[in-house]
Amino acid sequence: MKGSPIFWCISFYNEIQFLKSCLSALPRLSIDKLILVDGAYRSYPHKLPYSTDGSLEIAREYADILIETRVAWNTEWEKRNSYFIGTPGSYYVVVDADETWTGPRPELGVKPYDGISYNLLLRRQCE
């Protein structure tokens, strides 16, 4: 398939109530990669800096690449910058675990995939 892969980047921390629906809603083609990054930020209140609610087990089921930590991230930027592992020309879509993709699903034939663009349609999940 032509085009660069899309790296779907999901940041989470103890979000089992949202993570599975977030991940299962993403459009995924064979060239795409799913990167999940776990962990709390230093300034975020936490007992342990990594997920303990089952989120990691769900992430392991879905992720092409899972970045785990045993030390809290210094900042949100540090955590999010850990996504950028591709080559020049790669595309990245950053989605939080409490958001659900509601856009087209090209792998289901809903919209032709040109390898270049998606309309980003996300909605915040409610508890």
Side-chain angles (χ1 to χ4, degrees):
M1 176 168 289
K2 288 183 178 181
S4 295
I6 294 175
F7 289 89
W8 294 96
C9 307
I10 311 295
S11 174
F12 70 97
Y13 174 69
N14 283 338
E15 296 188 86
I16 194 167
Q17 74 272 28
F18 302 126
L19 191 58
K20 193 166 190 171
S21 61
C22 171
L23 296 172
S24 61
L26 294 175
R28 299 281 311 279
L29 297 172
S30 61
I31 63 170
D32 295 345
K33 299 293 180 201
L34 180 57
I35 303 171
L36 285 102
V37 179
D38 179 42
Y41 312 117
R42 283 198 196 283
S43 62
Y44 187 86
H46 59 276
K47 290 182 182 177
L48 293 171
Y50 52 88
S51 292
T52 57
D53 67 345
S55 298
L56 278 168
E57 289 74 15
I58 291 172
R60 286 184 188 109
E61 288 178 37
Y62 284 83
D64 295 306
I65 299 165
L66 175 59
I67 300 171
E68 299 180 56
T69 184
R70 293 294 180 235
V71 177
W73 296 95
N74 289 317
T75 64
E76 180 178 357
W77 289 108
E78 179 187 46
K79 184 177 181 183
R80 291 184 185 267
N81 282 341
S82 69
Y83 297 137
F84 301 114
I85 61 172
T87 58
S90 296
Y91 298 96
Y92 293 85
V93 179
V94 177
V95 180
D96 285 334
D98 64 348
E99 297 173 325
T100 301
W101 176 266
T102 60
R105 298 288 303 265
E107 78 281 17
L108 300 178
V110 175
K111 176 183 173 187
Y113 177 67
D114 62 12
I116 295 173
S117 64
Y118 279 111
N119 289 325
L120 296 179
L121 302 171
L122 301 169
R123 71 173 168 75
R124 179 84 50 200
Q125 297 185 48
C126 298
E127 292 188 52

